Amino acid sequence: MLLLALLTVSRGGLAAVVLPVVIAALALAVTVRAASSARRQRIAYEARLTAWAGERAAQAERLRIARELHDIVSHGLGLITVRASAACYPGAADDPSAALSDIERIGRQTTTELRRMLNVLRDSTAVAAPLRPADSLRDLPAIIEDARRAGPAVTLRLGEIDDISPGAQLAVCSVVREALTNTARHAGPTSATVSVRRDGDWIVTSVLDEGPVDGWTPHAGAGHGIEGLRERVTAIGGTFEARHAGNGFRVTARIPEARLS
């Protein structure tokens, strides 16, 4: 309409001078308003995107905590069950008071970790779980000693290993702990060998047991331990194998770890 008015005014009149200025001012106002509206929409969109990303991150963190919670509870309760079964195994030279002491200790540790996890899940403002320090190779003797208390006679063969990253050490400890827990559950007070060695740019971790002892009744777990290990190892570029070896069972993980310069 303004353009039509501009075309119909006299070339020498005042309107011919004022009208273009008015049109330009209106056009500028419309442009500024459109730009301002677009900026507000962009800010609102970015705020929604940030909120969505934060929610996704929180959900991912809670999923991670839930997995850790499953591992802690499954491992603790599994050890309690197997420790009690090993103490009752016919011919076991085990002091009942020592078995009860181990069961109490494991129960207290599991309860403590469970409470920590649940506190994090209840606290919507929590950023990270107050977990125990990450396992390292220094914790291997304690992991093996826990397995021995559950029944299996475990031998550790530790090769010349140096300059291993904390992530690789954590993966090694996870493999050893879960594999020995499975040995205690399925094979009872059998014999097992844990081997950790370097093979070039790989850390090879192997757990081999001799199979169930006579009269042992397997105690099935949740069924996710081995698959969980496979996911963890393959996620960092490693390989994982779990299979029967004669009468026993072997778990082997190859964890990538280049030498540090």
Side-chain angles (χ1 to χ4, degrees):
M1 183 179 292
L2 291 175
L3 181 60
L4 181 61
L6 179 62
L7 293 175
T8 56
V9 296
S10 173
R11 291 185 178 182
L14 181 62
V17 177
V18 175
L19 197 56
V21 176
V22 173
I23 292 176
L26 289 175
L28 179 62
V30 170
T31 302
V32 170
R33 183 174 180 179
S36 177
S37 177
R39 184 172 180 274
R40 287 196 302 270
Q41 291 177 359
R42 185 178 69 253
I43 292 175
Y45 170 76
E46 291 175 351
R48 291 195 301 271
L49 184 61
T50 300
W52 176 83
E55 182 179 353
R56 294 278 295 184
Q59 291 175 352
E61 178 68 8
R62 279 167 170 73
L63 180 59
R64 183 189 68 81
I65 293 172
R67 288 180 175 177
E68 294 288 344
L69 181 61
H70 165 268
D71 291 346
I72 290 171
V73 174
S74 177
H75 176 72
L77 294 181
L79 281 181
I80 290 173
T81 302
V82 172
R83 186 67 180 91
S85 297
C88 297
Y89 180 73
D94 199 353
D95 182 4
S97 62
L100 290 175
S101 177
D102 289 340
I103 289 172
E104 180 185 12
R105 176 181 55 81
I106 297 170
R108 289 182 183 276
Q109 291 175 350
T110 303
T111 301
T112 298
E113 296 298 337
L114 178 60
R115 286 174 178 169
R116 288 178 180 177
M117 288 292 189
L118 291 179
N119 285 338
V120 172
L121 292 175
R122 290 193 188 103
D123 185 3
S124 60
T125 63
V127 176
L131 303 178
R132 62 181 182 274
D135 289 329
S136 68
L137 293 184
R138 292 191 302 270
D139 296 300
L140 272 181
I143 293 172
I144 289 175
E145 185 59 31
D146 280 342
R148 286 171 178 161
R149 290 193 182 98
V154 185
T155 301
L156 173 62
R157 296 177 180 172
L158 192 60
E160 292 295 329
I161 299 178
D162 55 355
D163 297 333
I164 300 181
S165 67
Q169 295 186 49
L170 176 60
V172 169
C173 291
S174 297
V175 170
V176 172
R177 175 182 285 109
E178 184 62 35
L180 289 179
T181 298
N182 282 343
T183 295
R185 284 175 172 168
H186 296 283
T190 186
S191 297
T193 301
V194 175
S195 171
V196 182
R197 61 183 177 86
R198 181 184 283 277
D199 181 15
D201 290 341
W202 301 85
I203 303 299
V204 182
T205 304
S206 175
V207 179
L208 171 65
D209 67 59
E210 296 184 359
V213 297
D214 293 338
W216 179 258
T217 301
H219 299 268
H224 304 299
I226 291 296
E227 286 308 311
L229 282 182
R230 190 187 306 278
E231 290 179 2
R232 291 184 182 185
V233 174
T234 56
I236 60 176
T239 62
F240 182 86
E241 182 182 43
R243 61 182 178 84
H244 290 282
N247 294 327
F249 198 81
R250 181 193 299 273
V251 170
T252 304
R254 292 177 61 85
I255 300 164
E257 177 68 8
R259 292 182 183 273
L260 301 180
S261 58

Short mmCIF file of all heavy atoms in Angstrom, two decimals, residues 198-253:
data_model
loop_
_atom_site.label_atom_id
_atom_site.label_comp_id
_atom_site.label_asym_id
_atom_site.label_seq_id
_atom_site.Cartn_x
_atom_site.Cartn_y
_atom_site.Cartn_z
N ARG A 198 51.99 -58.81 29.37
CA ARG A 198 51.99 -57.91 28.23
C ARG A 198 52.35 -58.68 26.97
O ARG A 198 53.25 -59.52 26.98
CB ARG A 198 52.98 -56.76 28.45
CG ARG A 198 53.01 -55.76 27.29
CD ARG A 198 54.07 -54.71 27.49
NE ARG A 198 53.67 -53.71 28.46
CZ ARG A 198 52.90 -52.66 28.20
NH1 ARG A 198 52.41 -52.50 26.99
NH2 ARG A 198 52.62 -51.79 29.14
N ASP A 199 51.64 -58.38 25.89
CA ASP A 199 51.93 -58.94 24.58
C ASP A 199 51.95 -57.79 23.58
O ASP A 199 50.93 -57.44 22.98
CB ASP A 199 50.87 -59.98 24.20
CG ASP A 199 51.14 -60.62 22.84
OD1 ASP A 199 52.27 -60.46 22.34
OD2 ASP A 199 50.23 -61.26 22.28
N GLY A 200 53.11 -57.18 23.44
CA GLY A 200 53.23 -56.01 22.58
C GLY A 200 52.42 -54.85 23.14
O GLY A 200 52.65 -54.40 24.27
N ASP A 201 51.47 -54.38 22.36
CA ASP A 201 50.63 -53.27 22.79
C ASP A 201 49.33 -53.76 23.43
O ASP A 201 48.33 -53.03 23.45
CB ASP A 201 50.30 -52.36 21.60
CG ASP A 201 51.52 -51.58 21.14
OD1 ASP A 201 52.49 -51.47 21.92
OD2 ASP A 201 51.53 -51.10 19.99
N TRP A 202 49.34 -54.97 23.95
CA TRP A 202 48.14 -55.55 24.57
C TRP A 202 48.49 -56.04 25.97
O TRP A 202 49.59 -56.53 26.22
CB TRP A 202 47.60 -56.71 23.75
CG TRP A 202 47.23 -56.37 22.35
CD1 TRP A 202 48.05 -56.33 21.27
CD2 TRP A 202 45.93 -55.97 21.90
NE1 TRP A 202 47.35 -55.94 20.15
CE2 TRP A 202 46.05 -55.72 20.50
CE3 TRP A 202 44.69 -55.81 22.52
CZ2 TRP A 202 44.96 -55.32 19.73
CZ3 TRP A 202 43.62 -55.42 21.74
CH2 TRP A 202 43.76 -55.17 20.37
N ILE A 203 47.51 -55.93 26.87
CA ILE A 203 47.59 -56.57 28.18
C ILE A 203 46.64 -57.76 28.12
O ILE A 203 45.43 -57.59 27.97
CB ILE A 203 47.19 -55.61 29.31
CG1 ILE A 203 48.08 -54.37 29.29
CG2 ILE A 203 47.28 -56.32 30.65
CD1 ILE A 203 49.56 -54.67 29.48
N VAL A 204 47.21 -58.96 28.23
CA VAL A 204 46.41 -60.18 28.12
C VAL A 204 46.10 -60.68 29.52
O VAL A 204 47.01 -60.98 30.31
CB VAL A 204 47.16 -61.26 27.32
CG1 VAL A 204 46.29 -62.52 27.19
CG2 VAL A 204 47.56 -60.73 25.95
N THR A 205 44.84 -60.77 29.83
CA THR A 205 44.38 -61.24 31.13
C THR A 205 43.58 -62.53 30.94
O THR A 205 42.63 -62.55 30.15
CB THR A 205 43.49 -60.19 31.82
OG1 THR A 205 44.21 -58.97 31.94
CG2 THR A 205 43.07 -60.66 33.21
N SER A 206 44.01 -63.57 31.64
CA SER A 206 43.36 -64.87 31.48
C SER A 206 43.05 -65.47 32.84
O SER A 206 43.87 -65.39 33.76
CB SER A 206 44.27 -65.81 30.68
OG SER A 206 43.72 -67.11 30.61
N VAL A 207 41.86 -66.05 32.96
CA VAL A 207 41.46 -66.77 34.17
C VAL A 207 40.97 -68.15 33.74
O VAL A 207 40.02 -68.27 32.97
CB VAL A 207 40.35 -66.03 34.94
CG1 VAL A 207 39.95 -66.82 36.19
CG2 VAL A 207 40.81 -64.63 35.32
N LEU A 208 41.66 -69.19 34.22
CA LEU A 208 41.33 -70.56 33.85
C LEU A 208 41.07 -71.37 35.12
O LEU A 208 41.91 -71.39 36.02
CB LEU A 208 42.49 -71.19 33.07
CG LEU A 208 42.39 -72.70 32.78
CD1 LEU A 208 41.21 -72.99 31.86
CD2 LEU A 208 43.69 -73.21 32.18
N ASP A 209 39.91 -72.03 35.18
CA ASP A 209 39.64 -72.92 36.31
C ASP A 209 39.60 -74.36 35.84
O ASP A 209 39.50 -74.64 34.64
CB ASP A 209 38.35 -72.53 37.03
CG ASP A 209 37.10 -72.74 36.17
OD1 ASP A 209 36.85 -73.88 35.76
OD2 ASP A 209 36.36 -71.76 35.95
N GLU A 210 39.68 -75.29 36.79
CA GLU A 210 39.74 -76.71 36.47
C GLU A 210 38.38 -77.39 36.45
O GLU A 210 38.30 -78.62 36.34
CB GLU A 210 40.66 -77.43 37.46
CG GLU A 210 42.11 -76.96 37.36
CD GLU A 210 43.03 -77.74 38.29
OE1 GLU A 210 42.53 -78.63 39.01
OE2 GLU A 210 44.24 -77.46 38.29
N GLY A 211 37.33 -76.61 36.57
CA GLY A 211 36.00 -77.18 36.49
C GLY A 211 35.40 -77.50 37.84
O GLY A 211 36.08 -77.42 38.88
N PRO A 212 34.13 -77.83 37.89
CA PRO A 212 33.43 -78.07 39.17
C PRO A 212 34.01 -79.25 39.93
O PRO A 212 34.42 -80.26 39.35
CB PRO A 212 31.99 -78.35 38.73
CG PRO A 212 31.89 -77.85 37.32
CD PRO A 212 33.25 -77.99 36.74
N VAL A 213 34.06 -79.12 41.24
CA VAL A 213 34.45 -80.25 42.09
C VAL A 213 33.27 -81.18 42.24
O VAL A 213 32.10 -80.79 42.04
CB VAL A 213 34.93 -79.75 43.47
CG1 VAL A 213 36.17 -78.87 43.33
CG2 VAL A 213 33.82 -78.97 44.18
N ASP A 214 33.53 -82.41 42.60
CA ASP A 214 32.47 -83.40 42.74
C ASP A 214 31.47 -82.98 43.82
O ASP A 214 31.87 -82.57 44.93
CB ASP A 214 33.06 -84.76 43.10
CG ASP A 214 33.89 -85.35 41.96
OD1 ASP A 214 33.65 -84.92 40.81
OD2 ASP A 214 34.76 -86.19 42.22
N GLY A 215 30.21 -83.06 43.47
CA GLY A 215 29.16 -82.77 44.44
C GLY A 215 28.79 -81.30 44.56
O GLY A 215 27.90 -80.96 45.34
N TRP A 216 29.45 -80.45 43.79
CA TRP A 216 29.16 -79.01 43.89
C TRP A 216 27.91 -78.66 43.10
O TRP A 216 27.74 -79.07 41.96
CB TRP A 216 30.33 -78.18 43.39
CG TRP A 216 30.07 -76.69 43.45
CD1 TRP A 216 29.73 -75.87 42.43
CD2 TRP A 216 30.10 -75.88 44.61
NE1 TRP A 216 29.56 -74.60 42.87
CE2 TRP A 216 29.78 -74.57 44.22
CE3 TRP A 216 30.37 -76.13 45.95
CZ2 TRP A 216 29.72 -73.50 45.11
CZ3 TRP A 216 30.32 -75.08 46.85
CH2 TRP A 216 30.00 -73.78 46.43
N THR A 217 27.02 -77.87 43.71
CA THR A 217 25.81 -77.39 43.04
C THR A 217 26.03 -75.97 42.56
O THR A 217 26.26 -75.08 43.38
CB THR A 217 24.60 -77.43 43.99
OG1 THR A 217 24.40 -78.76 44.45
CG2 THR A 217 23.35 -76.94 43.28
N PRO A 218 26.00 -75.73 41.26
CA PRO A 218 26.24 -74.37 40.75
C PRO A 218 25.21 -73.38 41.29
O PRO A 218 24.04 -73.72 41.48
CB PRO A 218 26.12 -74.53 39.23
CG PRO A 218 26.35 -75.98 38.98
CD PRO A 218 25.80 -76.69 40.16
N HIS A 219 25.66 -72.14 41.50
CA HIS A 219 24.79 -71.06 41.95
C HIS A 219 24.72 -70.03 40.82
O HIS A 219 25.66 -69.25 40.63
CB HIS A 219 25.31 -70.42 43.23
CG HIS A 219 25.39 -71.36 44.39
ND1 HIS A 219 24.36 -71.53 45.28
CD2 HIS A 219 26.36 -72.22 44.77
CE1 HIS A 219 24.70 -72.44 46.18
NE2 HIS A 219 25.92 -72.88 45.90
N ALA A 220 23.64 -70.05 40.10
CA ALA A 220 23.51 -69.15 38.95
C ALA A 220 23.40 -67.70 39.40
O ALA A 220 22.77 -67.39 40.41
CB ALA A 220 22.27 -69.54 38.13
N GLY A 221 24.07 -66.81 38.65
CA GLY A 221 23.96 -65.39 38.93
C GLY A 221 22.88 -64.75 38.07
O GLY A 221 21.97 -65.42 37.58
N ALA A 222 22.99 -63.44 37.87
CA ALA A 222 22.00 -62.73 37.07
C ALA A 222 22.15 -63.00 35.58
O ALA A 222 21.25 -62.73 34.79
CB ALA A 222 22.10 -61.23 37.33
N GLY A 223 23.32 -63.53 35.19
CA GLY A 223 23.52 -63.86 33.78
C GLY A 223 24.05 -62.72 32.94
O GLY A 223 24.14 -62.84 31.72
N HIS A 224 24.43 -61.60 33.57
CA HIS A 224 24.90 -60.44 32.80
C HIS A 224 26.38 -60.16 33.01
O HIS A 224 26.92 -59.26 32.38
CB HIS A 224 24.10 -59.19 33.19
CG HIS A 224 22.62 -59.35 33.03
ND1 HIS A 224 22.03 -59.62 31.82
CD2 HIS A 224 21.62 -59.29 33.94
CE1 HIS A 224 20.71 -59.71 31.98
NE2 HIS A 224 20.45 -59.52 33.26
N GLY A 225 27.03 -60.90 33.90
CA GLY A 225 28.42 -60.60 34.23
C GLY A 225 29.36 -60.74 33.06
O GLY A 225 30.12 -59.81 32.73
N ILE A 226 29.33 -61.89 32.39
CA ILE A 226 30.24 -62.13 31.27
C ILE A 226 29.93 -61.18 30.11
O ILE A 226 30.85 -60.60 29.51
CB ILE A 226 30.13 -63.60 30.80
CG1 ILE A 226 30.72 -64.54 31.86
CG2 ILE A 226 30.86 -63.78 29.47
CD1 ILE A 226 32.18 -64.35 32.11
N GLU A 227 28.65 -60.99 29.82
CA GLU A 227 28.29 -60.07 28.73
C GLU A 227 28.69 -58.64 29.07
O GLU A 227 29.08 -57.87 28.20
CB GLU A 227 26.80 -60.17 28.43
CG GLU A 227 26.41 -61.43 27.68
CD GLU A 227 27.24 -61.65 26.44
OE1 GLU A 227 27.38 -60.71 25.64
OE2 GLU A 227 27.75 -62.77 26.25
N GLY A 228 28.56 -58.28 30.35
CA GLY A 228 28.99 -56.96 30.77
C GLY A 228 30.48 -56.77 30.57
O GLY A 228 30.94 -55.70 30.13
N LEU A 229 31.27 -57.81 30.89
CA LEU A 229 32.72 -57.73 30.65
C LEU A 229 33.02 -57.61 29.17
O LEU A 229 33.89 -56.83 28.76
CB LEU A 229 33.40 -58.99 31.20
CG LEU A 229 33.63 -59.08 32.71
CD1 LEU A 229 34.37 -60.36 33.05
CD2 LEU A 229 34.41 -57.88 33.22
N ARG A 230 32.31 -58.38 28.37
CA ARG A 230 32.54 -58.33 26.92
C ARG A 230 32.28 -56.91 26.40
O ARG A 230 33.05 -56.37 25.59
CB ARG A 230 31.62 -59.32 26.22
CG ARG A 230 31.96 -59.52 24.73
CD ARG A 230 30.90 -60.39 24.06
NE ARG A 230 30.71 -61.65 24.75
CZ ARG A 230 31.49 -62.71 24.59
NH1 ARG A 230 32.51 -62.65 23.75
NH2 ARG A 230 31.24 -63.83 25.26
N GLU A 231 31.21 -56.29 26.87
CA GLU A 231 30.89 -54.93 26.43
C GLU A 231 31.98 -53.95 26.85
O GLU A 231 32.38 -53.08 26.08
CB GLU A 231 29.55 -54.50 27.02
CG GLU A 231 28.34 -55.22 26.42
CD GLU A 231 27.05 -54.77 27.07
OE1 GLU A 231 27.10 -53.88 27.95
OE2 GLU A 231 25.99 -55.32 26.72
N ARG A 232 32.45 -54.08 28.09
CA ARG A 232 33.47 -53.15 28.59
C ARG A 232 34.77 -53.29 27.81
O ARG A 232 35.40 -52.29 27.45
CB ARG A 232 33.73 -53.42 30.08
CG ARG A 232 32.58 -53.04 30.98
CD ARG A 232 32.95 -53.23 32.43
NE ARG A 232 31.84 -52.92 33.32
CZ ARG A 232 31.92 -52.91 34.65
NH1 ARG A 232 33.07 -53.19 35.23
NH2 ARG A 232 30.87 -52.62 35.37
N VAL A 233 35.20 -54.54 27.59
CA VAL A 233 36.48 -54.75 26.91
C VAL A 233 36.41 -54.33 25.46
O VAL A 233 37.32 -53.65 24.94
CB VAL A 233 36.90 -56.23 27.04
CG1 VAL A 233 38.15 -56.50 26.21
CG2 VAL A 233 37.17 -56.58 28.51
N THR A 234 35.35 -54.72 24.75
CA THR A 234 35.24 -54.35 23.34
C THR A 234 35.03 -52.86 23.17
O THR A 234 35.41 -52.29 22.15
CB THR A 234 34.10 -55.12 22.65
OG1 THR A 234 32.87 -54.90 23.37
CG2 THR A 234 34.40 -56.62 22.64
N ALA A 235 34.42 -52.20 24.16
CA ALA A 235 34.18 -50.76 24.07
C ALA A 235 35.48 -49.97 24.05
O ALA A 235 35.52 -48.85 23.52
CB ALA A 235 33.30 -50.29 25.23
N ILE A 236 36.56 -50.51 24.63
CA ILE A 236 37.84 -49.82 24.63
C ILE A 236 38.77 -50.37 23.56
O ILE A 236 39.99 -50.12 23.58
CB ILE A 236 38.51 -49.89 26.02
CG1 ILE A 236 38.75 -51.35 26.43
CG2 ILE A 236 37.69 -49.18 27.07
CD1 ILE A 236 39.51 -51.49 27.76
N GLY A 237 38.20 -51.15 22.62
CA GLY A 237 38.99 -51.64 21.50
C GLY A 237 39.66 -52.98 21.73
O GLY A 237 40.52 -53.37 20.93
N GLY A 238 39.29 -53.68 22.80
CA GLY A 238 39.89 -54.97 23.10
C GLY A 238 39.07 -56.12 22.55
O GLY A 238 38.06 -55.93 21.86
N THR A 239 39.54 -57.32 22.86
CA THR A 239 38.82 -58.53 22.47
C THR A 239 38.56 -59.36 23.72
O THR A 239 39.34 -59.32 24.68
CB THR A 239 39.61 -59.37 21.45
OG1 THR A 239 40.85 -59.80 22.05
CG2 THR A 239 39.89 -58.56 20.21
N PHE A 240 37.49 -60.12 23.69
CA PHE A 240 37.09 -60.89 24.87
C PHE A 240 36.60 -62.26 24.42
O PHE A 240 35.87 -62.38 23.43
CB PHE A 240 35.98 -60.16 25.63
CG PHE A 240 35.54 -60.85 26.89
CD1 PHE A 240 36.21 -60.62 28.08
CD2 PHE A 240 34.47 -61.71 26.89
CE1 PHE A 240 35.82 -61.24 29.24
CE2 PHE A 240 34.06 -62.35 28.04
CZ PHE A 240 34.74 -62.11 29.23
N GLU A 241 37.01 -63.29 25.17
CA GLU A 241 36.59 -64.65 24.86
C GLU A 241 36.30 -65.40 26.15
O GLU A 241 37.09 -65.33 27.11
CB GLU A 241 37.67 -65.38 24.07
CG GLU A 241 37.29 -66.78 23.65
CD GLU A 241 38.40 -67.50 22.91
OE1 GLU A 241 39.57 -67.38 23.35
OE2 GLU A 241 38.12 -68.15 21.90
N ALA A 242 35.20 -66.10 26.19
CA ALA A 242 34.82 -66.93 27.33
C ALA A 242 34.32 -68.26 26.80
O ALA A 242 33.34 -68.29 26.05
CB ALA A 242 33.75 -66.24 28.18
N ARG A 243 35.00 -69.34 27.16
CA ARG A 243 34.62 -70.64 26.60
C ARG A 243 35.09 -71.76 27.53
O ARG A 243 35.94 -71.56 28.40
CB ARG A 243 35.25 -70.83 25.22
CG ARG A 243 36.76 -70.81 25.23
CD ARG A 243 37.34 -70.97 23.83
NE ARG A 243 38.80 -70.90 23.82
CZ ARG A 243 39.59 -71.94 24.06
NH1 ARG A 243 39.08 -73.13 24.37
NH2 ARG A 243 40.90 -71.80 24.01
N HIS A 244 34.53 -72.94 27.32
CA HIS A 244 34.95 -74.12 28.07
C HIS A 244 36.33 -74.55 27.59
O HIS A 244 36.66 -74.48 26.40
CB HIS A 244 33.94 -75.26 27.87
CG HIS A 244 32.63 -75.00 28.55
ND1 HIS A 244 32.44 -75.17 29.92
CD2 HIS A 244 31.43 -74.59 28.06
CE1 HIS A 244 31.20 -74.88 30.23
NE2 HIS A 244 30.56 -74.51 29.12
N ALA A 245 37.15 -74.99 28.54
CA ALA A 245 38.48 -75.48 28.23
C ALA A 245 38.65 -76.80 28.97
O ALA A 245 38.96 -76.82 30.17
CB ALA A 245 39.54 -74.47 28.66
N GLY A 246 38.43 -77.91 28.28
CA GLY A 246 38.44 -79.21 28.94
C GLY A 246 37.29 -79.30 29.91
O GLY A 246 36.13 -79.03 29.56
N ASN A 247 37.58 -79.68 31.15
CA ASN A 247 36.54 -79.72 32.18
C ASN A 247 36.28 -78.36 32.80
O ASN A 247 35.32 -78.19 33.55
CB ASN A 247 36.93 -80.71 33.28
CG ASN A 247 36.98 -82.15 32.78
OD1 ASN A 247 36.20 -82.53 31.90
ND2 ASN A 247 37.90 -82.94 33.32
N GLY A 248 37.16 -77.41 32.53
CA GLY A 248 37.06 -76.11 33.16
C GLY A 248 36.53 -75.03 32.23
O GLY A 248 35.89 -75.31 31.21
N PHE A 249 36.83 -73.79 32.60
CA PHE A 249 36.32 -72.64 31.85
C PHE A 249 37.42 -71.59 31.82
O PHE A 249 38.12 -71.35 32.81
CB PHE A 249 35.08 -72.07 32.53
CG PHE A 249 34.25 -71.19 31.65
CD1 PHE A 249 33.36 -71.73 30.73
CD2 PHE A 249 34.36 -69.81 31.73
CE1 PHE A 249 32.59 -70.91 29.91
CE2 PHE A 249 33.60 -68.98 30.92
CZ PHE A 249 32.71 -69.54 30.01
N ARG A 250 37.58 -70.97 30.65
CA ARG A 250 38.63 -69.96 30.48
C ARG A 250 38.02 -68.65 30.01
O ARG A 250 37.19 -68.62 29.10
CB ARG A 250 39.67 -70.42 29.45
CG ARG A 250 40.81 -69.41 29.26
CD ARG A 250 41.64 -69.74 28.02
NE ARG A 250 42.27 -71.04 28.11
CZ ARG A 250 43.46 -71.26 28.68
NH1 ARG A 250 44.14 -70.25 29.20
NH2 ARG A 250 43.96 -72.48 28.70
N VAL A 251 38.46 -67.57 30.64
CA VAL A 251 38.10 -66.20 30.24
C VAL A 251 39.38 -65.50 29.84
O VAL A 251 40.35 -65.48 30.61
CB VAL A 251 37.40 -65.44 31.38
CG1 VAL A 251 37.25 -63.97 31.03
CG2 VAL A 251 36.03 -66.05 31.67
N THR A 252 39.41 -64.93 28.65
CA THR A 252 40.60 -64.24 28.15
C THR A 252 40.21 -62.87 27.60
O THR A 252 39.30 -62.79 26.77
CB THR A 252 41.31 -65.05 27.06
OG1 THR A 252 41.63 -66.35 27.55
CG2 THR A 252 42.59 -64.35 26.63
N ALA A 253 40.90 -61.85 28.07
CA ALA A 253 40.66 -60.49 27.59
C ALA A 253 41.97 -59.90 27.10
O ALA A 253 42.99 -59.97 27.80
CB ALA A 253 40.06 -59.63 28.70
#
